[in-house]
Amino acid sequence: MEEKKVMSNAQKIKFQADIYYMSANLLMNEHDEIVTKQTESKFRYKLTDEEREKIFLGLLAHCLYAFCAELYMKSLILVSGNDYDKIHRFDQLFVKLDSDLKDQVEREYNSKNYYGTGFVDMLKEHSDDLQKIRYAYEPQDKPYLMSFAKWFADILKPITDAKIEKFERK
């Protein structure tokens, strides 16, 4: 009798993160199509009622990107041989990665030169992105850049793809 293959905890977490990542990309594509129409028309394009509703899909996408960045880090922490308890802040999760993974994430992020600010500073500034984005309707003390969550997820996904074996059912 063949032994049933079981997903590791890291694979389970990565699988869920991948679903959120795909969903976020779909939502972001819808959002970006509308933004492109507006910018190409120099904001003379009048949004339809449906487009006015869809413009807010970007907020939902960024929330999903923040959540999947958290999950990607948690899966990498597990393959590093560490545990993460009930941590949700990016900076607190990041320190639990092994040093090679930390170096790789930082190198990849800095090579993209997002926003012209280094990874360490951005991580510090955006460690509670999931909470800030989830409660975006609450007043902020200063303007807030939501794009870090997407950038961070975009960096973490290929790293987890390389480090965590894809689960294949037999």
Side-chain angles (χ1 to χ4, degrees), residues 126-138:
H126 292 274
S127 278
D128 58 349
D129 265 10
L130 184 57
Q131 183 176 353
K132 283 183 178 175
I133 295 168
R134 257 190 359 232
Y135 299 108
Y137 60 88
E138 292 181 354

Side-chain angles (χ1 to χ4, degrees), residues 107-121:
R107 225 179 12 260
E108 288 292 322
Y109 184 89
N110 288 336
S111 75
K112 305 288 187 199
N113 197 29
Y114 295 118
Y115 203 60
T117 305
F119 176 73
V120 173
D121 292 333

Side-chain angles (χ1 to χ4, degrees), residues 17-148:
D18 285 341
I19 291 169
Y20 290 147
Y21 188 78
M22 288 184 292
S23 300
N25 284 335
L26 290 170
L27 294 170
M28 203 59 172
N29 288 340
E30 291 266 341
H31 169 269
D32 288 349
E33 284 178 23
I34 298 165
V35 170
T36 300
K37 281 182 186 177
Q38 284 197 301
T39 54
E40 286 177 352
S41 73
K42 297 184 178 161
F43 294 92
R44 289 186 209 117
Y45 175 76
K46 184 172 168 45
L47 294 176
T48 66
D49 289 341
E50 183 181 358
E51 288 170 329
R52 249 195 281 347
E53 292 170 3
K54 284 184 176 180
I55 199 77
F56 293 102
L57 293 176
L59 178 63
L60 180 55
H62 281 96
C63 192
L64 288 171
Y65 286 127
F67 195 39
C68 70
E70 176 186 329
L71 293 175
Y72 283 138
M73 274 200 295
K74 287 180 175 181
S75 66
L76 289 170
I77 289 167
L78 291 177
V79 297
S80 295
N82 295 323
D83 197 7
Y84 52 82
D85 300 317
K86 294 185 187 289
I87 299 171
H88 302 286
R89 290 182 53 90
F90 292 162
D91 57 348
Q92 292 172 357
L93 289 166
F94 186 74
V95 299
K96 295 197 169 271
L97 295 173
D98 69 38
S99 59
D100 289 341
L101 282 171
K102 283 191 264 194
D103 290 344
Q104 184 178 3
V105 169
E106 188 171 351
R107 225 179 12 260
E108 288 292 322
Y109 184 89
N110 288 336
S111 75
K112 305 288 187 199
N113 197 29
Y114 295 118
Y115 203 60
T117 305
F119 176 73
V120 173
D121 292 333
M122 290 299 278
L123 183 67
K124 188 179 194 180
E125 175 76 22
H126 292 274
S127 278
D128 58 349
D129 265 10
L130 184 57
Q131 183 176 353
K132 283 183 178 175
I133 295 168
R134 257 190 359 232
Y135 299 108
Y137 60 88
E138 292 181 354
Q140 303 288 326
D141 42 337
K142 62 182 180 176
Y144 193 74
L145 174 73
M146 281 191 250
S147 298
F148 177 78

Side-chain angles (χ1 to χ4, degrees), residues 7 10-20 22 72:
M7 284 178 117
Q11 287 172 318
K12 288 177 189 175
I13 294 167
K14 183 189 179 312
F15 179 74
Q16 179 135 15
D18 285 341
I19 291 169
Y20 290 147
M22 288 184 292
Y72 283 138

